[in-house]
Amino acid sequence: MPEILIEVVNLSNPGVQAPSFVFGTPMYVWNDHILFLGNPSEQELVARVRSLYERTKT
């Protein structure tokens, strides 16, 4: 889904601060809303992101 901008925040990098709502890793977030705590399957992740993306297009 190349039309969706993804940002990976690596908290191990020097000077990187976690967003205020991040309390554990890995965490998947869409517009400040937590989607997953821990790693979902690829199918779960793609389905959820595609669904949310489609809703924002209308």
PDB file of all heavy atoms in Angstrom, residues 22-53:
ATOM      1  N   VAL A  22       2.859   6.333  24.103  1.00  0.00           N
ATOM      2  CA  VAL A  22       3.551   5.050  23.982  1.00  0.00           C
ATOM      3  C   VAL A  22       4.017   4.599  25.359  1.00  0.00           C
ATOM      4  O   VAL A  22       4.756   5.304  26.037  1.00  0.00           O
ATOM      5  CB  VAL A  22       4.745   5.147  23.009  1.00  0.00           C
ATOM      6  CG1 VAL A  22       5.576   3.876  23.026  1.00  0.00           C
ATOM      7  CG2 VAL A  22       4.248   5.442  21.601  1.00  0.00           C
ATOM      8  N   PHE A  23       3.564   3.411  25.767  1.00  0.00           N
ATOM      9  CA  PHE A  23       3.936   2.892  27.076  1.00  0.00           C
ATOM     10  C   PHE A  23       4.615   1.532  26.983  1.00  0.00           C
ATOM     11  O   PHE A  23       4.980   0.944  27.994  1.00  0.00           O
ATOM     12  CB  PHE A  23       2.716   2.803  28.005  1.00  0.00           C
ATOM     13  CG  PHE A  23       1.582   2.000  27.442  1.00  0.00           C
ATOM     14  CD1 PHE A  23       1.531   0.635  27.625  1.00  0.00           C
ATOM     15  CD2 PHE A  23       0.578   2.629  26.729  1.00  0.00           C
ATOM     16  CE1 PHE A  23       0.487  -0.101  27.107  1.00  0.00           C
ATOM     17  CE2 PHE A  23      -0.478   1.898  26.212  1.00  0.00           C
ATOM     18  CZ  PHE A  23      -0.519   0.523  26.404  1.00  0.00           C
ATOM     19  N   GLY A  24       4.785   1.025  25.778  1.00  0.00           N
ATOM     20  CA  GLY A  24       5.457  -0.242  25.575  1.00  0.00           C
ATOM     21  C   GLY A  24       5.742  -0.447  24.103  1.00  0.00           C
ATOM     22  O   GLY A  24       5.221   0.279  23.264  1.00  0.00           O
ATOM     23  N   THR A  25       6.591  -1.397  23.811  1.00  0.00           N
ATOM     24  CA  THR A  25       6.914  -1.688  22.415  1.00  0.00           C
ATOM     25  C   THR A  25       6.925  -3.190  22.216  1.00  0.00           C
ATOM     26  O   THR A  25       7.185  -3.928  23.162  1.00  0.00           O
ATOM     27  CB  THR A  25       8.289  -1.119  22.027  1.00  0.00           C
ATOM     28  OG1 THR A  25       9.293  -1.705  22.844  1.00  0.00           O
ATOM     29  CG2 THR A  25       8.329   0.385  22.141  1.00  0.00           C
ATOM     30  N   PRO A  26       6.618  -3.673  21.031  1.00  0.00           N
ATOM     31  CA  PRO A  26       6.182  -2.885  19.871  1.00  0.00           C
ATOM     32  C   PRO A  26       4.725  -2.453  20.018  1.00  0.00           C
ATOM     33  O   PRO A  26       3.940  -3.101  20.694  1.00  0.00           O
ATOM     34  CB  PRO A  26       6.335  -3.852  18.702  1.00  0.00           C
ATOM     35  CG  PRO A  26       6.172  -5.206  19.305  1.00  0.00           C
ATOM     36  CD  PRO A  26       6.712  -5.105  20.706  1.00  0.00           C
ATOM     37  N   MET A  27       4.429  -1.334  19.407  1.00  0.00           N
ATOM     38  CA  MET A  27       3.080  -0.769  19.439  1.00  0.00           C
ATOM     39  C   MET A  27       2.770  -0.227  18.046  1.00  0.00           C
ATOM     40  O   MET A  27       3.596   0.455  17.449  1.00  0.00           O
ATOM     41  CB  MET A  27       2.995   0.348  20.469  1.00  0.00           C
ATOM     42  CG  MET A  27       1.630   0.963  20.607  1.00  0.00           C
ATOM     43  SD  MET A  27       1.568   2.324  21.809  1.00  0.00           S
ATOM     44  CE  MET A  27       1.696   1.425  23.339  1.00  0.00           C
ATOM     45  N   TYR A  28       1.610  -0.544  17.547  1.00  0.00           N
ATOM     46  CA  TYR A  28       1.167  -0.061  16.247  1.00  0.00           C
ATOM     47  C   TYR A  28       0.052   0.942  16.483  1.00  0.00           C
ATOM     48  O   TYR A  28      -0.919   0.642  17.185  1.00  0.00           O
ATOM     49  CB  TYR A  28       0.668  -1.225  15.375  1.00  0.00           C
ATOM     50  CG  TYR A  28       1.770  -2.182  14.996  1.00  0.00           C
ATOM     51  CD1 TYR A  28       2.265  -3.109  15.916  1.00  0.00           C
ATOM     52  CD2 TYR A  28       2.325  -2.142  13.733  1.00  0.00           C
ATOM     53  CE1 TYR A  28       3.283  -3.985  15.570  1.00  0.00           C
ATOM     54  CE2 TYR A  28       3.346  -3.015  13.381  1.00  0.00           C
ATOM     55  CZ  TYR A  28       3.811  -3.933  14.305  1.00  0.00           C
ATOM     56  OH  TYR A  28       4.824  -4.789  13.962  1.00  0.00           O
ATOM     57  N   VAL A  29       0.193   2.127  15.870  1.00  0.00           N
ATOM     58  CA  VAL A  29      -0.710   3.247  16.132  1.00  0.00           C
ATOM     59  C   VAL A  29      -1.193   3.831  14.809  1.00  0.00           C
ATOM     60  O   VAL A  29      -0.435   3.904  13.842  1.00  0.00           O
ATOM     61  CB  VAL A  29       0.033   4.329  16.956  1.00  0.00           C
ATOM     62  CG1 VAL A  29      -0.847   5.523  17.224  1.00  0.00           C
ATOM     63  CG2 VAL A  29       0.576   3.746  18.251  1.00  0.00           C
ATOM     64  N   TRP A  30      -2.449   4.262  14.801  1.00  0.00           N
ATOM     65  CA  TRP A  30      -3.025   4.959  13.639  1.00  0.00           C
ATOM     66  C   TRP A  30      -3.628   6.252  14.163  1.00  0.00           C
ATOM     67  O   TRP A  30      -4.569   6.217  14.955  1.00  0.00           O
ATOM     68  CB  TRP A  30      -4.101   4.091  13.001  1.00  0.00           C
ATOM     69  CG  TRP A  30      -4.785   4.701  11.815  1.00  0.00           C
ATOM     70  CD1 TRP A  30      -5.851   5.553  11.846  1.00  0.00           C
ATOM     71  CD2 TRP A  30      -4.458   4.519  10.450  1.00  0.00           C
ATOM     72  NE1 TRP A  30      -6.211   5.904  10.571  1.00  0.00           N
ATOM     73  CE2 TRP A  30      -5.369   5.280   9.689  1.00  0.00           C
ATOM     74  CE3 TRP A  30      -3.486   3.789   9.779  1.00  0.00           C
ATOM     75  CZ2 TRP A  30      -5.330   5.307   8.309  1.00  0.00           C
ATOM     76  CZ3 TRP A  30      -3.465   3.830   8.404  1.00  0.00           C
ATOM     77  CH2 TRP A  30      -4.373   4.585   7.674  1.00  0.00           C
ATOM     78  N   ASN A  31      -3.079   7.387  13.752  1.00  0.00           N
ATOM     79  CA  ASN A  31      -3.567   8.699  14.194  1.00  0.00           C
ATOM     80  C   ASN A  31      -3.764   8.751  15.712  1.00  0.00           C
ATOM     81  O   ASN A  31      -4.822   9.125  16.205  1.00  0.00           O
ATOM     82  CB  ASN A  31      -4.869   9.065  13.482  1.00  0.00           C
ATOM     83  CG  ASN A  31      -4.662   9.266  12.002  1.00  0.00           C
ATOM     84  OD1 ASN A  31      -3.576   9.639  11.558  1.00  0.00           O
ATOM     85  ND2 ASN A  31      -5.674   9.011  11.214  1.00  0.00           N
ATOM     86  N   ASP A  32      -2.750   8.360  16.445  1.00  0.00           N
ATOM     87  CA  ASP A  32      -2.727   8.381  17.917  1.00  0.00           C
ATOM     88  C   ASP A  32      -3.665   7.371  18.574  1.00  0.00           C
ATOM     89  O   ASP A  32      -3.899   7.441  19.772  1.00  0.00           O
ATOM     90  CB  ASP A  32      -3.003   9.778  18.473  1.00  0.00           C
ATOM     91  CG  ASP A  32      -1.950  10.791  18.049  1.00  0.00           C
ATOM     92  OD1 ASP A  32      -0.839  10.385  17.668  1.00  0.00           O
ATOM     93  OD2 ASP A  32      -2.228  12.000  18.116  1.00  0.00           O
ATOM     94  N   HIS A  33      -4.218   6.443  17.830  1.00  0.00           N
ATOM     95  CA  HIS A  33      -5.062   5.388  18.386  1.00  0.00           C
ATOM     96  C   HIS A  33      -4.309   4.065  18.303  1.00  0.00           C
ATOM     97  O   HIS A  33      -3.829   3.690  17.232  1.00  0.00           O
ATOM     98  CB  HIS A  33      -6.391   5.275  17.627  1.00  0.00           C
ATOM     99  CG  HIS A  33      -7.225   6.505  17.713  1.00  0.00           C
ATOM    100  ND1 HIS A  33      -7.933   6.850  18.850  1.00  0.00           N
ATOM    101  CD2 HIS A  33      -7.461   7.488  16.819  1.00  0.00           C
ATOM    102  CE1 HIS A  33      -8.570   7.979  18.634  1.00  0.00           C
ATOM    103  NE2 HIS A  33      -8.293   8.397  17.408  1.00  0.00           N
ATOM    104  N   ILE A  34      -4.219   3.368  19.409  1.00  0.00           N
ATOM    105  CA  ILE A  34      -3.482   2.116  19.460  1.00  0.00           C
ATOM    106  C   ILE A  34      -4.241   1.034  18.691  1.00  0.00           C
ATOM    107  O   ILE A  34      -5.419   0.780  18.962  1.00  0.00           O
ATOM    108  CB  ILE A  34      -3.247   1.686  20.915  1.00  0.00           C
ATOM    109  CG1 ILE A  34      -2.394   2.735  21.629  1.00  0.00           C
ATOM    110  CG2 ILE A  34      -2.589   0.311  20.971  1.00  0.00           C
ATOM    111  CD1 ILE A  34      -2.313   2.547  23.131  1.00  0.00           C
ATOM    112  N   LEU A  35      -3.554   0.424  17.727  1.00  0.00           N
ATOM    113  CA  LEU A  35      -4.133  -0.677  16.966  1.00  0.00           C
ATOM    114  C   LEU A  35      -3.731  -2.022  17.548  1.00  0.00           C
ATOM    115  O   LEU A  35      -4.551  -2.920  17.663  1.00  0.00           O
ATOM    116  CB  LEU A  35      -3.676  -0.629  15.506  1.00  0.00           C
ATOM    117  CG  LEU A  35      -4.015   0.610  14.698  1.00  0.00           C
ATOM    118  CD1 LEU A  35      -3.494   0.465  13.283  1.00  0.00           C
ATOM    119  CD2 LEU A  35      -5.506   0.850  14.704  1.00  0.00           C
ATOM    120  N   PHE A  36      -2.454  -2.160  17.865  1.00  0.00           N
ATOM    121  CA  PHE A  36      -1.933  -3.424  18.367  1.00  0.00           C
ATOM    122  C   PHE A  36      -0.857  -3.165  19.409  1.00  0.00           C
ATOM    123  O   PHE A  36      -0.027  -2.274  19.240  1.00  0.00           O
ATOM    124  CB  PHE A  36      -1.287  -4.248  17.244  1.00  0.00           C
ATOM    125  CG  PHE A  36      -2.216  -4.669  16.161  1.00  0.00           C
ATOM    126  CD1 PHE A  36      -2.268  -3.992  14.957  1.00  0.00           C
ATOM    127  CD2 PHE A  36      -3.041  -5.772  16.330  1.00  0.00           C
ATOM    128  CE1 PHE A  36      -3.117  -4.381  13.947  1.00  0.00           C
ATOM    129  CE2 PHE A  36      -3.900  -6.171  15.322  1.00  0.00           C
ATOM    130  CZ  PHE A  36      -3.940  -5.477  14.127  1.00  0.00           C
ATOM    131  N   LEU A  37      -0.886  -3.938  20.468  1.00  0.00           N
ATOM    132  CA  LEU A  37       0.225  -4.027  21.417  1.00  0.00           C
ATOM    133  C   LEU A  37       0.891  -5.357  21.103  1.00  0.00           C
ATOM    134  O   LEU A  37       0.252  -6.404  21.201  1.00  0.00           O
ATOM    135  CB  LEU A  37      -0.267  -4.009  22.858  1.00  0.00           C
ATOM    136  CG  LEU A  37      -0.943  -2.726  23.309  1.00  0.00           C
ATOM    137  CD1 LEU A  37      -1.506  -2.899  24.713  1.00  0.00           C
ATOM    138  CD2 LEU A  37       0.044  -1.581  23.272  1.00  0.00           C
ATOM    139  N   GLY A  38       2.120  -5.330  20.711  1.00  0.00           N
ATOM    140  CA  GLY A  38       2.776  -6.542  20.238  1.00  0.00           C
ATOM    141  C   GLY A  38       2.629  -6.643  18.739  1.00  0.00           C
ATOM    142  O   GLY A  38       1.978  -5.817  18.097  1.00  0.00           O
ATOM    143  N   ASN A  39       3.264  -7.648  18.174  1.00  0.00           N
ATOM    144  CA  ASN A  39       3.258  -7.805  16.723  1.00  0.00           C
ATOM    145  C   ASN A  39       2.075  -8.636  16.242  1.00  0.00           C
ATOM    146  O   ASN A  39       1.949  -9.796  16.609  1.00  0.00           O
ATOM    147  CB  ASN A  39       4.562  -8.468  16.272  1.00  0.00           C
ATOM    148  CG  ASN A  39       5.737  -7.537  16.380  1.00  0.00           C
ATOM    149  OD1 ASN A  39       5.636  -6.377  16.008  1.00  0.00           O
ATOM    150  ND2 ASN A  39       6.840  -8.028  16.892  1.00  0.00           N
ATOM    151  N   PRO A  40       1.219  -8.023  15.405  1.00  0.00           N
ATOM    152  CA  PRO A  40       0.125  -8.794  14.811  1.00  0.00           C
ATOM    153  C   PRO A  40       0.680  -9.618  13.645  1.00  0.00           C
ATOM    154  O   PRO A  40       1.807  -9.392  13.193  1.00  0.00           O
ATOM    155  CB  PRO A  40      -0.816  -7.704  14.290  1.00  0.00           C
ATOM    156  CG  PRO A  40       0.118  -6.593  13.928  1.00  0.00           C
ATOM    157  CD  PRO A  40       1.205  -6.635  14.969  1.00  0.00           C
ATOM    158  N   SER A  41      -0.124 -10.513  13.128  1.00  0.00           N
ATOM    159  CA  SER A  41       0.284 -11.197  11.902  1.00  0.00           C
ATOM    160  C   SER A  41       0.243 -10.167  10.770  1.00  0.00           C
ATOM    161  O   SER A  41      -0.432  -9.132  10.865  1.00  0.00           O
ATOM    162  CB  SER A  41      -0.655 -12.356  11.586  1.00  0.00           C
ATOM    163  OG  SER A  41      -1.924 -11.871  11.175  1.00  0.00           O
ATOM    164  N   GLU A  42       0.942 -10.464   9.707  1.00  0.00           N
ATOM    165  CA  GLU A  42       0.942  -9.550   8.564  1.00  0.00           C
ATOM    166  C   GLU A  42      -0.474  -9.363   8.029  1.00  0.00           C
ATOM    167  O   GLU A  42      -0.878  -8.252   7.687  1.00  0.00           O
ATOM    168  CB  GLU A  42       1.858 -10.088   7.466  1.00  0.00           C
ATOM    169  CG  GLU A  42       1.939  -9.171   6.258  1.00  0.00           C
ATOM    170  CD  GLU A  42       2.877  -9.682   5.190  1.00  0.00           C
ATOM    171  OE1 GLU A  42       3.638 -10.644   5.434  1.00  0.00           O
ATOM    172  OE2 GLU A  42       2.848  -9.104   4.093  1.00  0.00           O
ATOM    173  N   GLN A  43      -1.244 -10.445   8.001  1.00  0.00           N
ATOM    174  CA  GLN A  43      -2.618 -10.372   7.490  1.00  0.00           C
ATOM    175  C   GLN A  43      -3.480  -9.469   8.374  1.00  0.00           C
ATOM    176  O   GLN A  43      -4.284  -8.677   7.863  1.00  0.00           O
ATOM    177  CB  GLN A  43      -3.250 -11.765   7.413  1.00  0.00           C
ATOM    178  CG  GLN A  43      -2.604 -12.669   6.393  1.00  0.00           C
ATOM    179  CD  GLN A  43      -1.331 -13.367   6.916  1.00  0.00           C
ATOM    180  OE1 GLN A  43      -0.959 -13.248   8.073  1.00  0.00           O
ATOM    181  NE2 GLN A  43      -0.664 -14.087   6.036  1.00  0.00           N
ATOM    182  N   GLU A  44      -3.342  -9.583   9.703  1.00  0.00           N
ATOM    183  CA  GLU A  44      -4.113  -8.732  10.615  1.00  0.00           C
ATOM    184  C   GLU A  44      -3.750  -7.268  10.430  1.00  0.00           C
ATOM    185  O   GLU A  44      -4.626  -6.403  10.384  1.00  0.00           O
ATOM    186  CB  GLU A  44      -3.831  -9.107  12.068  1.00  0.00           C
ATOM    187  CG  GLU A  44      -4.425 -10.393  12.529  1.00  0.00           C
ATOM    188  CD  GLU A  44      -4.008 -10.691  13.958  1.00  0.00           C
ATOM    189  OE1 GLU A  44      -2.791 -10.796  14.226  1.00  0.00           O
ATOM    190  OE2 GLU A  44      -4.917 -10.802  14.804  1.00  0.00           O
ATOM    191  N   LEU A  45      -2.461  -7.001  10.335  1.00  0.00           N
ATOM    192  CA  LEU A  45      -1.993  -5.621  10.182  1.00  0.00           C
ATOM    193  C   LEU A  45      -2.492  -5.007   8.880  1.00  0.00           C
ATOM    194  O   LEU A  45      -3.049  -3.909   8.872  1.00  0.00           O
ATOM    195  CB  LEU A  45      -0.466  -5.572  10.251  1.00  0.00           C
ATOM    196  CG  LEU A  45       0.163  -4.197  10.097  1.00  0.00           C
ATOM    197  CD1 LEU A  45      -0.299  -3.241  11.184  1.00  0.00           C
ATOM    198  CD2 LEU A  45       1.687  -4.323  10.101  1.00  0.00           C
ATOM    199  N   VAL A  46      -2.327  -5.721   7.791  1.00  0.00           N
ATOM    200  CA  VAL A  46      -2.757  -5.205   6.484  1.00  0.00           C
ATOM    201  C   VAL A  46      -4.264  -4.987   6.456  1.00  0.00           C
ATOM    202  O   VAL A  46      -4.743  -3.956   5.987  1.00  0.00           O
ATOM    203  CB  VAL A  46      -2.299  -6.141   5.351  1.00  0.00           C
ATOM    204  CG1 VAL A  46      -2.951  -5.772   4.025  1.00  0.00           C
ATOM    205  CG2 VAL A  46      -0.781  -6.101   5.216  1.00  0.00           C
ATOM    206  N   ALA A  47      -5.024  -5.928   6.987  1.00  0.00           N
ATOM    207  CA  ALA A  47      -6.490  -5.797   6.987  1.00  0.00           C
ATOM    208  C   ALA A  47      -6.931  -4.583   7.796  1.00  0.00           C
ATOM    209  O   ALA A  47      -7.790  -3.815   7.359  1.00  0.00           O
ATOM    210  CB  ALA A  47      -7.131  -7.068   7.538  1.00  0.00           C
ATOM    211  N   ARG A  48      -6.351  -4.397   8.990  1.00  0.00           N
ATOM    212  CA  ARG A  48      -6.746  -3.262   9.841  1.00  0.00           C
ATOM    213  C   ARG A  48      -6.371  -1.939   9.197  1.00  0.00           C
ATOM    214  O   ARG A  48      -7.170  -1.004   9.147  1.00  0.00           O
ATOM    215  CB  ARG A  48      -6.081  -3.391  11.210  1.00  0.00           C
ATOM    216  CG  ARG A  48      -6.373  -2.272  12.172  1.00  0.00           C
ATOM    217  CD  ARG A  48      -7.725  -2.351  12.872  1.00  0.00           C
ATOM    218  NE  ARG A  48      -7.866  -3.547  13.652  1.00  0.00           N
ATOM    219  CZ  ARG A  48      -7.487  -3.679  14.916  1.00  0.00           C
ATOM    220  NH1 ARG A  48      -6.953  -2.682  15.558  1.00  0.00           N
ATOM    221  NH2 ARG A  48      -7.676  -4.827  15.529  1.00  0.00           N
ATOM    222  N   VAL A  49      -5.153  -1.837   8.685  1.00  0.00           N
ATOM    223  CA  VAL A  49      -4.705  -0.584   8.068  1.00  0.00           C
ATOM    224  C   VAL A  49      -5.516  -0.285   6.820  1.00  0.00           C
ATOM    225  O   VAL A  49      -5.945   0.849   6.607  1.00  0.00           O
ATOM    226  CB  VAL A  49      -3.191  -0.643   7.771  1.00  0.00           C
ATOM    227  CG1 VAL A  49      -2.757   0.522   6.892  1.00  0.00           C
ATOM    228  CG2 VAL A  49      -2.396  -0.641   9.072  1.00  0.00           C
ATOM    229  N   ARG A  50      -5.760  -1.287   6.004  1.00  0.00           N
ATOM    230  CA  ARG A  50      -6.556  -1.067   4.788  1.00  0.00           C
ATOM    231  C   ARG A  50      -7.956  -0.578   5.147  1.00  0.00           C
ATOM    232  O   ARG A  50      -8.480   0.355   4.544  1.00  0.00           O
ATOM    233  CB  ARG A  50      -6.629  -2.353   3.975  1.00  0.00           C
ATOM    234  CG  ARG A  50      -7.398  -2.160   2.672  1.00  0.00           C
ATOM    235  CD  ARG A  50      -7.269  -3.354   1.765  1.00  0.00           C
ATOM    236  NE  ARG A  50      -5.948  -3.299   1.139  1.00  0.00           N
ATOM    237  CZ  ARG A  50      -5.138  -4.339   1.004  1.00  0.00           C
ATOM    238  NH1 ARG A  50      -5.500  -5.525   1.434  1.00  0.00           N
ATOM    239  NH2 ARG A  50      -3.970  -4.201   0.429  1.00  0.00           N
ATOM    240  N   SER A  51      -8.571  -1.176   6.153  1.00  0.00           N
ATOM    241  CA  SER A  51      -9.902  -0.779   6.589  1.00  0.00           C
ATOM    242  C   SER A  51      -9.911   0.675   7.072  1.00  0.00           C
ATOM    243  O   SER A  51     -10.788   1.461   6.693  1.00  0.00           O
ATOM    244  CB  SER A  51     -10.376  -1.704   7.700  1.00  0.00           C
ATOM    245  OG  SER A  51     -11.562  -1.229   8.273  1.00  0.00           O
ATOM    246  N   LEU A  52      -8.952   1.037   7.897  1.00  0.00           N
ATOM    247  CA  LEU A  52      -8.882   2.411   8.408  1.00  0.00           C
ATOM    248  C   LEU A  52      -8.593   3.402   7.289  1.00  0.00           C
ATOM    249  O   LEU A  52      -9.185   4.481   7.242  1.00  0.00           O
ATOM    250  CB  LEU A  52      -7.815   2.509   9.496  1.00  0.00           C
ATOM    251  CG  LEU A  52      -8.152   1.793  10.797  1.00  0.00           C
ATOM    252  CD1 LEU A  52      -6.913   1.676  11.672  1.00  0.00           C
ATOM    253  CD2 LEU A  52      -9.268   2.503  11.526  1.00  0.00           C
ATOM    254  N   TYR A  53      -7.716   3.044   6.394  1.00  0.00           N
ATOM    255  CA  TYR A  53      -7.391   3.917   5.271  1.00  0.00           C
ATOM    256  C   TYR A  53      -8.610   4.144   4.388  1.00  0.00           C
ATOM    257  O   TYR A  53      -8.899   5.268   3.982  1.00  0.00           O
ATOM    258  CB  TYR A  53      -6.240   3.324   4.459  1.00  0.00           C
ATOM    259  CG  TYR A  53      -5.875   4.152   3.265  1.00  0.00           C
ATOM    260  CD1 TYR A  53      -5.229   5.376   3.418  1.00  0.00           C
ATOM    261  CD2 TYR A  53      -6.175   3.724   1.982  1.00  0.00           C
ATOM    262  CE1 TYR A  53      -4.901   6.154   2.320  1.00  0.00           C
ATOM    263  CE2 TYR A  53      -5.844   4.487   0.880  1.00  0.00           C
ATOM    264  CZ  TYR A  53      -5.217   5.700   1.060  1.00  0.00           C
ATOM    265  OH  TYR A  53      -4.890   6.470  -0.036  1.00  0.00           O
TER     266      TYR A  53
END
